[in-house]
Amino acid sequence: MKTYLEMTKEELLAEHRSLEQEFAKIKALGLSLDLTRGKPSPLQLDLSMGMYDIISSQSVLRTEAGTDCRNYGSLDGIDEAKRLMAGFMDCKQEQVIVHGNASLSIMYDTIARSMLHGVLGSTPWCRLDKVKFLCPVPGYDRHFAITEYFGIEMVQIPMHPDGPDMDLVEKLVQEDAAVKGIWCVPKYSNPQGITYSDETVRRFAALKPAAEDFRIYWDNAYAVHDLYEDDRDMLLPILPECEKAGNPDMVYEFCSTSKVTFSGAGISAMGMSDTNRQDLLKQMSVQTIGHDKIKQWTHTRYLKDMDGVRAHMAKHAALIRPKFEAVDEILSKEVAPLGIGTWIRPKGGYFICFEAMEGCAKAIVAKAREAGIVMTAAGAPFPYGIDPKDTVIRIAPTFPKLEEMKQAAEVFACCVKLVSAEKLLRK
Amino acid sequence: MKTYLEMTKEELLAEHRSLEQEFAKIKALGLSLDLTRGKPSPLQLDLSMGMYDIISSQSVLRTEAGTDCRNYGSLDGIDEAKRLMAGFMDCKQEQVIVHGNASLSIMYDTIARSMLHGVLGSTPWCRLDKVKFLCPVPGYDRHFAITEYFGIEMVQIPMHPDGPDMDLVEKLVQEDAAVKGIWCVPKYSNPQGITYSDETVRRFAALKPAAEDFRIYWDNAYAVHDLYEDDRDMLLPILPECEKAGNPDMVYEFCSTSKVTFSGAGISAMGMSDTNRQDLLKQMSVQTIGHDKIKQWTHTRYLKDMDGVRAHMAKHAALIRPKFEAVDEILSKEVAPLGIGTWIRPKGGYFICFEAMEGCAKAIVAKAREAGIVMTAAGAPFPYGIDPKDTVIRIAPTFPKLEEMKQAAEVFACCVKLVSAEKLLRK
């Protein structure tokens, strides 16, 4: 099979005509599918409903230590929840603070606090002329929305198959004291599904920042979200590495059960050095009397420990793996041979990141929408929503049913071909 | 019976000797009681355990409108939760945003947002030389902790039996553009149990602030926390009054179910004008994907409506009313006739606020601690923890058992008498 680039103009014109007919047929189907966000499907959510069978009016909602989970207190979370979330982050229980229903809110709040109160006594960022964050791209749009909201300048860092471009990260962090942070999704990155290599993690831990209040924002959102039990990516734990490198305070790690139990009704946590932890607790003692301990109780009783979590995640994997594989298969068959797009086949996480030919992403997403398939806006995985090369499209396969996902992938493949052919014909 | 002021020195000395003996006996009992915080008792928390019988693995966790409560979304809360919380605030459902487990966090966050992003486009407060909040005193220590944390200057406003000194409030709000807010607990105020009169509420609604970004922080924490079903204080709803007065945007109202269902595991809400609401939603869309909707589901299914809430609160009242009455009775018998202390007998809320003779509060709290009764630190109900006259002591009767509360009140009365007698003898 010839790639589009290898085709003559006549061949490409013929291909384009046939694609237009195919697209017209698709449009006539009147599809309506939403692939915008990484949401678990109802069947995935069903997996955790058993949590509500272990609590009733007869439950004794006390912690192992005897604290009444129904009353005020336990600012940093109950011990068993700290222990569970430490397992997600491969850190010590004493390094954990358990929070509310969303790690995103902790990240938001961590930056808001740094803006107004600084970091361990540093100048509050709102008093500085310029604050910069490094943003590996493509990345998570909600990270970038937070930094944008606070007026923080975002510096793009290219992603490589083993993580962010560490040469550039090291240089910028070491040379520029305005660089106060970097957003990372180190395992099954959003949207590419890349897991940082041990080497990358070690280079992160060994950073020599010009700014004393520089922090790595280590959003370990997909810590346990493996698609293959026997072939999971292993992420080197960052907290011990930072300790070994003499940088114990340089990282904030975040995680949650949002895509383990219930999205928006789970628990979240932060892992950090004791110094950072004490700093955070000072703020938290003003901000709240404590997070929801009943939810911590139900989560720890239901998931139990990391073995319980792994077993639970295997059930998730069984539901979503076929969808990931279907997308991969259809794109491998329909798109790959034509030389008009690439992607990394992820071993976990929530996304497949399709890289189209330059200047095609927006048009492909628009075309898909015309056919009733709503995808995440092209550009979304970049700061300010601008993808400089207009190539990246995030596919979220978890929410639709398998048959729907297959259909959507077929439509998507048709749109990729159509837009790519048009692009080449305009040359 | 003579008051202490009417006694001769000899009479007072004799009284003091007898009190010292009494105190020695009390100390020998080795009591250990914690009256520090306004916490519901375990029996009160038991009242809501039925909430966990209406949810199981078989529940269909959908809203009335069909939204899956287990997945992401519904930034402003589910409709039925908005409706329920509107009932707490006597406002329209469309004016409500439902939040997480604590109204305190919403207040913290509202101020953090104003600091960094201003209010409806006003200059962010962090760029101003001076920001002031009016603080009716005695008031809620956690309010003052928030304003202190953000470096906001606190201006004390005396409380009268019908609410804050409105002449002073009107003057300061109208004359000083640095005054950006006032903390209010308008019903069964913390700690005095005062409910603002209709006149006070109307004067609040008609304020003419020098600062366009001035807001009333209307913490309606005890909206439904009446001790007497047939004799409840009625608070004029502020949102409609502000609308009538042409100041629709001037108030943020807060409430929660923390002392209705579970403390720290309930739901909270904010009521406000549509303009303020849109402003808040802009921030929230960056900060979170949405609050816990499963908890909103369980709360609305369990409490149902305001009739349900009233019936539920009557059960709370039945449990705590005897404790309030016991304190009142013991103080009325032991302390009032001696002219050494006053208090308002509250018809709801969580506290009794004892006003000792000037310069005695700290010593009384210290004396009580000596006898094993831990009370809220004297001074706590004032900004920076400093009670200028050293008179105010907050008593929190809800958590201890009735017999414990009686015993604690007896001990407290003895400490008040002892310290007051000592004070008068030193004159």
Side-chain angles (χ1 to χ4, degrees), chain B residues 3-268:
Chain B
T3 69
Y4 277 11
L5 276 164
E6 290 163 343
M7 286 186 186
T8 62
K9 182 153 188 183
E10 287 64 37
E11 287 170 327
L12 206 52
L13 273 169
E15 170 81 358
H16 185 254
R17 268 193 302 276
S18 121
L19 286 165
E20 279 200 317
Q21 285 166 7
E22 191 188 332
F23 186 75
K25 277 186 210 154
I26 289 169
K27 259 181 78 169
L29 296 175
L31 300 177
S32 174
L33 276 169
D34 189 333
L35 304 188
T36 48
R37 303 242 44 114
K39 289 166 68 166
S41 68
L43 286 176
Q44 286 178 267
L45 297 164
D46 287 346
L47 296 175
S48 300
M49 287 299 288
M51 193 184 291
Y52 293 110
D53 289 336
I54 58 169
I55 184 168
S56 77
S57 62
Q58 302 311 307
S59 301
V60 178
L61 299 179
R62 290 195 173 274
T63 65
E64 291 166 0
T67 304
D68 190 340
C69 292
R70 307 170 305 171
N71 219 326
Y72 290 119
S74 305
L75 187 60
D76 58 351
I78 68 176
D79 282 345
E80 44 267 55
K82 281 186 258 178
R83 190 168 64 227
L84 180 71
M85 300 319 278
F88 278 61
M89 297 185 279
D90 278 313
C91 70
K92 294 174 223 150
Q93 179 180 328
E94 303 78 46
Q95 293 180 308
V96 176
I97 293 179
V98 185
H99 286 256
N101 74 323
S103 55
L104 191 74
S105 303
I106 326 178
M107 295 178 225
Y108 174 97
D109 204 51
T110 303
I111 294 189
R113 181 177 68 252
S114 306
M115 292 294 295
L116 283 165
H117 289 89
V119 178
L120 296 182
S122 76
T123 305
W125 298 352
C126 69
R127 296 214 202 115
L128 301 175
D129 289 335
K130 175 80 81 182
V131 174
K132 298 179 189 173
F133 257 58
L134 306 186
C135 300
V137 289
Y140 179 30
D141 53 352
R142 289 186 183 271
H143 285 165
F144 304 153
I146 291 175
T147 24
E148 183 177 356
Y149 181 72
F150 287 110
I152 293 172
E153 185 179 315
M154 292 182 270
V155 181
Q156 304 198 9
I157 305 288
M159 279 293 285
H160 295 317
D162 59 350
D165 181 332
M166 289 310 293
D167 291 341
L168 187 56
V169 169
E170 283 167 351
K171 184 178 143 63
L172 292 172
V173 167
Q174 192 158 352
E175 287 178 1
D176 189 350
V179 173
K180 303 293 189 191
I182 180 167
W183 288 120
C184 295
V185 181
K187 189 172 172 186
Y188 305 133
S189 69
N190 178 348
Q192 290 169 300
I194 289 171
T195 298
Y196 295 7
S197 69
D198 291 359
E199 170 70 9
T200 297
V201 175
R202 288 202 186 94
R203 287 177 75 176
F204 263 111
L207 284 174
K208 306 204 178 327
E212 53 168 5
D213 50 356
F214 169 84
R215 291 290 180 276
I216 302 162
Y217 288 69
W218 198 255
D219 182 3
N220 204 349
Y222 306 106
V224 295
H225 303 62
D226 311 290
L227 284 174
Y228 303 92
E229 270 187 275
D230 51 355
D231 185 21
R232 59 170 73 120
D233 285 352
M234 300 304 286
L235 175 70
L236 198 63
I238 183 104
L239 274 157
E241 289 304 315
C242 281
E243 282 162 30
K244 278 187 239 167
N247 283 324
D249 301 332
M250 201 171 60
V251 64
Y252 297 133
E253 183 162 358
F254 308 90
C255 69
S256 83
T257 68
S258 284
K259 294 178 182 92
V260 175
T261 58
F262 299 111
S263 299
I267 59 175
S268 65

Side-chain angles (χ1 to χ4, degrees), chain A residues 162-369:
Chain A
D162 59 349
D165 180 332
M166 291 309 294
D167 291 342
L168 188 56
V169 169
E170 283 167 352
K171 183 178 142 66
L172 292 172
V173 167
Q174 191 157 353
E175 287 178 1
D176 189 350
V179 172
K180 301 296 190 190
I182 180 167
W183 288 120
C184 295
V185 181
K187 189 172 172 186
Y188 305 134
S189 69
N190 177 349
Q192 291 168 300
I194 289 171
T195 298
Y196 295 8
S197 69
D198 291 0
E199 171 68 10
T200 297
V201 175
R202 288 202 186 94
R203 287 177 75 176
F204 264 110
L207 284 174
K208 309 208 175 324
E212 54 167 5
D213 49 357
F214 169 84
R215 291 291 180 274
I216 302 163
Y217 288 70
W218 199 254
D219 182 2
N220 204 350
Y222 307 106
V224 295
H225 304 61
D226 311 289
L227 284 174
Y228 303 92
E229 270 186 277
D230 50 356
D231 185 21
R232 56 170 73 122
D233 286 352
M234 301 303 288
L235 176 71
L236 198 63
I238 184 104
L239 275 157
E241 289 304 315
C242 280
E243 282 162 30
K244 279 186 240 168
N247 283 323
D249 301 333
M250 200 172 58
V251 64
Y252 298 134
E253 182 162 358
F254 308 91
C255 69
S256 83
T257 68
S258 283
K259 293 178 183 93
V260 175
T261 58
F262 301 111
S263 299
I267 60 176
S268 65
M270 198 169 162
M272 71 216 105
S273 72
D274 189 56
T275 311
N276 285 329
R277 202 170 169 281
Q278 293 309 322
D279 192 46
L280 173 54
L281 285 173
K282 243 186 284 172
Q283 175 211 3
M284 284 178 68
S285 69
V286 174
Q287 185 179 27
T288 179
I289 310 178
H291 291 289
D292 187 334
K293 291 189 298 297
I294 296 183
K295 207 158 52 173
Q296 293 175 31
W297 188 94
T298 50
H299 271 72
T300 49
R301 268 54 180 178
Y302 188 63
L303 295 172
K304 292 190 175 74
D305 53 24
M306 287 315 284
D307 285 342
V309 171
R310 297 280 176 208
H312 187 72
M313 294 313 291
K315 296 182 201 162
H316 278 278
L319 289 169
I320 65 178
R321 195 170 47 233
K323 302 179 192 178
F324 276 81
E325 288 177 349
V327 174
D328 184 67
E329 203 169 293
I330 288 162
L331 293 180
S332 297
K333 181 165 158 269
E334 299 287 333
V335 173
L338 304 174
I340 54 174
T342 58
W343 65 98
I344 292 165
R345 196 180 159 203
K347 293 199 282 179
Y350 257 59
F351 303 103
I352 291 171
C353 183
F354 183 78
E355 288 196 48
M357 288 168 61
E358 253 191 75
C360 288
K362 270 191 196 161
I364 292 168
V365 169
K367 209 76 198 165
R369 181 180 284 263

Side-chain angles (χ1 to χ4, degrees), chain A residues 6-19:
Chain A
E6 289 162 345
M7 285 186 189
T8 63
K9 182 152 188 184
E10 287 64 38
E11 287 171 326
L12 205 51
L13 272 169
E15 170 81 359
H16 185 253
R17 268 192 304 275
S18 122
L19 287 166

Side-chain angles (χ1 to χ4, degrees), chain B residues 361-381:
Chain B
K362 270 191 198 162
I364 293 168
V365 169
K367 209 75 198 162
R369 181 179 283 263
E370 216 185 307
I373 312 288
V374 188
M375 312 195 63
T376 309

